[in-house]
Amino acid sequence: MTTGLIPGEQPPDSGPTSGMPQQRREPVGRQAVPGEKESKSSVITARASASFEPVGRSVASARSFVRDTLQGWGHADVVDDAVVLTSELVTNAVVHAGTAADVRCLRTDETVRIEVSDRYPEREVPLQSAAVSMGSPDREGGRGLQLCAALAGRWGVDYTPTHKHVWFELALPDRAVGTRAAGPSLPADRLPLADGRVRVAVVQLDAGGAVTSWNEDAQDLFGHPADEVVGKQLTDLAAWPHTPGTGTGIAEALRLSRWEGSYGMRSADGRVVPVYASHLRVRDTDGEPSTVCLLVRDHERAVLQTPARGTASEATSCEGRSTDPFEVFIGSPAPDDLDGLLQRTVERARDMLDGDAAFLLLATDDETELEVRASTGLPSARQRFARVPVEAGPGRYGSARMPAVHDDLGAVPGAVPLLGGTGMRSVVTVPLKVEGRLTGSLGVAAEAPGRYSNEEALRLQFAADRIALAVESARLGELERLRRGSLSFLVEASDLLAGTLDRDQTLALMAQMTVPTLATWCAVYTIADQASEPFLSYVLHEDEELIDGIKSLLAKAAPPDPVPTPGARVWTTPGEIAHQAALRTSMRALGLTDGASPRAASGTGPTLATAHALGGETVVLPLVARNRVIGMLTLGKPADEHFRQEILELAEDLSRRAALALDNARLYSERTAISQSLQRSLLPPELPLIDGVEVEVIYRAAGEGNEVGGDFYDLFPISDDAYGFAIGDVCGTGPNAAAVTGLARHALRLLAREGLSGPAVLERLNSAILDEGARSRFLTLLYGELRPLAGGGAELKVVCAGHPLPLRLRQDGTVRPAAEPQPLLGVIEDLELYEETVTLDPGDVLLCVTDGVTERREGTRMLGDDGLADVLTTCTGLTAGAVAARIMRAVERFASDAPSDDMAILAMRVPEPHQD
């Protein structure tokens, strides 16, 4: 936004622009008089402009921009009409047309012209000459133009190929020359006090807020010579008030066309001098924006302060029209958000009673406590969302339900806890009530004692009665928005928490959902079992650099008690350890501790920033799942900040969902650990080394978290010169399949070492499987006995019970099955099995696989026995390990999807003599 005085500049021509047709309307009931002189002067004396994004909140921003600009120019008489018209036109641009809006304010000697431009030139505008009806005033479209026709002296619409410009002009009322405002004559004893010489500091700033001029009065008031401050930012010298409920900071104030208010200036001796300031934004000789600041001591504010608006008793205008007392007190238009309404309320209440501070508290739903929601003139925002009881003591002065006047708080310490340590001496408070129900409390305070009487209490009560209903309506609207936002937040949180069963990830999600949405920092304590102490498992802060420091401080404190009582409870320990840590850090930095120096203490121990992060309100919510406390969710605010009740209720809902998700993750982790332990027990120990024979096994279980599936393998010694080997596949998965797997592997070892032949071993295993009854599973199994030969080679006796046939690779590259198929196990009782003898010569390979290898699929294609044989043909001359690896690579590359079945590969090779 730019604004300033532009001598001699002409306003935009009201005729057609760039050859485009212009449509213009005169107010209804008035005809333009040919040859009538439109204005006495067409020289633009000031202008301001701003652009607004195509979002709903831009409408309120545009209203504030126009209001501040016109009030800064001293034209409060036309502010209301200008703001109403601007609101409608900007709404058409950013809401209905969905484009950005450019707003420009132009002032001449007799008129104020407002222009609103958007990027939607196609919209139709009705013409006066066409005599088209404007329609109902309640319809959504066209209402802005109707208002222009009704309120503006002149208005029109200009088109360009890319923009549409809607403008209107408001005539300025005639005023006596040199008179803007005047007050009544006062006796000398009622005039404001001032020093022997009233000093007015004149400070000029450039567009970036740096000081470019510093007069002698400024040097006398603050002690800084001009050469020391020129070039410095005003922010380095100003102690700007951080008023709760308002977002206006010093940077925003310096961009306004005009601003008045109080703040502090740091003097050369380090003190803060309270000042009252009047800022005026102008343009310097180079055409750049510049701000002129006039400053006086705060108690001399009458020198600069603009006269206040009339009180409620002046609610009748000079034309005799009745004015709404609410509009008189709040101003028009009223803020459309709760925080803005509350902030303007406390500011107007302070000005109405000429106080130094004001505050407003809203009642909780049960009317037992009051929550601080807005204040002005207090040293800091530390009281925001703090709570005080409605009934603080006996008698009318201890209840917020009745008006109260305190002549001197110094005589009654603690009578108004909110003002403790603020320097305020006298205060008047009144209740806000709607239909007899307490909804809040409004108070005004002054630094001098005895400032207020029952008369001021009645005036303040009258104002409170006017605004109570509006405040309650805005509060209910805010609660509804919070409720909808809370539901959306909880739905998203539930989806995120339900999407993981990993404990660490669940802890991280819990913290990330609370910071910074609900709290500034978060710590999660977990409890392994009822006999264990709470353990600090996760810490998160919105500033990552403070996380380690917070962990260090919390680790030194005893964890909160695992109380199962629902709801948030205050935990004071973090604030206490933060205060102690800050004190120790400051003492070390000053070298006040034994054996420490400032240089040595630099960077050691918890920093002041870490202590400040823990210094605010801290609450603990229990994590209760399945009637057991499994942890605590700790939320914290930085120093002097408090939680809102709505935030605590939302955090409680989140804690219940997080507790269940954390417990589900715990149960899943336990089940996974048990499952993996059982699966590992089904795997054979390390394979034995066999002289004269290379053996390699590759095993891959399908499914996440599985180490063993339905496939299994084994290789074990039977006697000094004989070894048993097996590879099998149990039907199905799960505990029953695992039971058959364990039965088969252990039975094979036991029966083979009893000296039984291969067919006898499998027949007894078949009987044992059938004895399992309903838990039995059929089993395909390739079992054999291996005996190395003294002259080289190996003799194998194999039985293939329903299993994929073993393949034999010779040195010449030929591949043949090494056994015949026989019935599988676990289906029929009387099996007649036989064994076959296979002799492996040096260089030969015997390959045994499960059906997960041969049945590997890609769409309709399957690897099959022939495909496996083709791959094995290429493995001539490879070691057993290389053969197994090549087969596995070929299987994995056959399809892009992850394997859906378990796979086991057992390769045995007799090395050639020269490779020994």
Side-chain angles (χ1 to χ4, degrees), residues 754-778:
E754 291 294 325
L756 299 177
S757 64
V761 169
L762 268 60
E763 290 169 1
R764 284 168 172 75
L765 176 59
N766 180 64
S767 299
I769 295 174
L770 293 175
D771 289 343
E772 292 292 310
R775 296 181 300 174
S776 65
R777 294 286 189 275
F778 65 79

Side-chain angles (χ1 to χ4, degrees), residues 531-547:
S532 302
E533 290 293 326
F535 175 75
L536 182 60
S537 300
Y538 201 91
V539 174
L540 183 66
H541 190 280
E542 59 185 9
D543 184 353
E544 294 183 357
E545 295 182 357
L546 300 179
I547 293 178

Side-chain angles (χ1 to χ4, degrees), residues 225-499:
D227 56 354
E228 289 185 1
V229 295
V230 170
K232 288 187 176 181
Q233 294 288 320
L234 182 63
T235 53
D236 296 339
L237 303 171
W240 193 259
H242 301 283
T243 305
T246 179
T248 304
I250 187 169
E252 291 81 1
L254 292 177
R255 284 196 295 268
L256 298 177
S257 61
R258 185 177 180 87
W259 183 90
E260 285 187 20
S262 300
Y263 54 90
M265 290 288 289
R266 296 182 179 87
S267 63
D269 58 5
R271 295 183 301 106
V272 174
V273 179
V275 298
Y276 189 85
S278 175
H279 297 175
L280 177 64
R281 194 165 167 86
V282 297
R283 296 176 71 181
D284 60 20
T285 54
D286 296 327
E288 295 296 324
S290 176
T291 303
V292 176
C293 306
L294 306 179
L295 303 95
V296 297
R297 294 184 180 90
D298 193 56
H299 65 272
E300 298 172 345
R301 62 170 60 189
V303 175
L304 300 178
Q305 189 170 22
T306 301
R309 298 180 61 165
T311 62
S313 61
E314 303 166 353
T316 304
S317 64
C318 58
E319 291 84 359
R321 296 176 300 174
S322 177
T323 307
D324 183 2
F326 172 80
E327 294 293 341
V328 171
F329 182 67
I330 293 297
S332 178
D336 54 5
D337 63 297
L338 178 61
D339 285 341
L341 177 60
L342 299 182
Q343 190 60 34
R344 187 179 294 184
T345 298
V346 296
E347 291 172 354
R348 294 298 169 86
R350 177 199 61 189
D351 295 341
M352 183 179 71
L353 299 186
D354 195 22
D356 297 306
F359 52 89
L360 192 148
L361 303 88
L362 293 184
T364 56
D365 293 337
D366 57 5
E367 297 184 24
T368 60
E369 290 183 308
L370 294 168
E371 187 177 63
V372 180
R373 291 300 301 271
S375 65
T376 182
L378 296 180
S380 69
R382 69 179 188 278
Q383 306 290 352
R384 186 157 167 80
F385 300 124
R387 293 195 167 198
V388 296
V390 171
E391 306 294 343
R396 61 169 294 183
Y397 294 110
S399 174
R401 302 181 187 276
M402 299 292 292
V405 177
H406 294 274
D407 291 330
D408 191 353
L409 293 178
V412 190
V416 183
L418 179 64
L419 301 179
T422 62
M424 301 299 163
R425 296 286 299 276
S426 54
V427 61
V428 54
T429 61
V430 296
L432 283 78
K433 294 184 178 181
V434 176
E435 297 180 351
R437 181 172 61 87
L438 180 69
T439 60
S441 177
L442 176 63
V444 178
E447 296 179 353
R451 283 281 298 275
Y452 303 116
S453 63
N454 289 338
E455 180 181 355
E456 282 79 12
L458 289 175
R459 290 180 60 196
L460 189 61
Q461 184 67 70
F462 179 81
D465 293 340
R466 301 288 78 76
I467 66 168
L469 183 59
V471 169
E472 181 66 5
S473 298
R475 187 183 73 88
L476 293 176
E478 181 191 63
L479 290 177
E480 178 63 19
R481 291 191 296 271
L482 286 174
R483 185 186 67 83
R484 294 185 180 183
S486 299
L487 290 176
S488 176
F489 173 78
L490 291 175
V491 168
E492 182 180 357
S494 299
D495 289 343
L496 290 173
L497 291 171

Side-chain angles (χ1 to χ4, degrees), residues 697-712:
V697 174
I698 296 179
Y699 183 85
R700 299 286 172 81
E704 183 181 357
N706 291 335
E707 294 187 13
V708 176
D711 295 1
F712 71 94

Side-chain angles (χ1 to χ4, degrees), residues 767-814:
S767 299
I769 295 174
L770 293 175
D771 289 343
E772 292 292 310
R775 296 181 300 174
S776 65
R777 294 286 189 275
F778 65 79
L779 168 67
T780 67
L781 180 64
L782 172 65
Y783 173 75
E785 294 181 1
L786 169 68
R787 286 184 173 82
L789 300 178
E795 182 184 72
L796 294 83
K797 296 181 179 180
V798 297
V799 181
C800 187
H803 200 77
L805 300 178
L807 298 179
R808 178 182 179 181
L809 171 65
R810 293 185 177 274
Q811 278 190 303
D812 59 3
T814 59

Side-chain angles (χ1 to χ4, degrees), residues 856-859 891-900 903:
R856 176 74 162 147
R857 296 179 181 274
E858 173 71 23
V891 173
E892 291 175 342
R893 293 173 180 174
F894 187 80
S896 58
D897 296 335
S900 59
M903 294 186 293

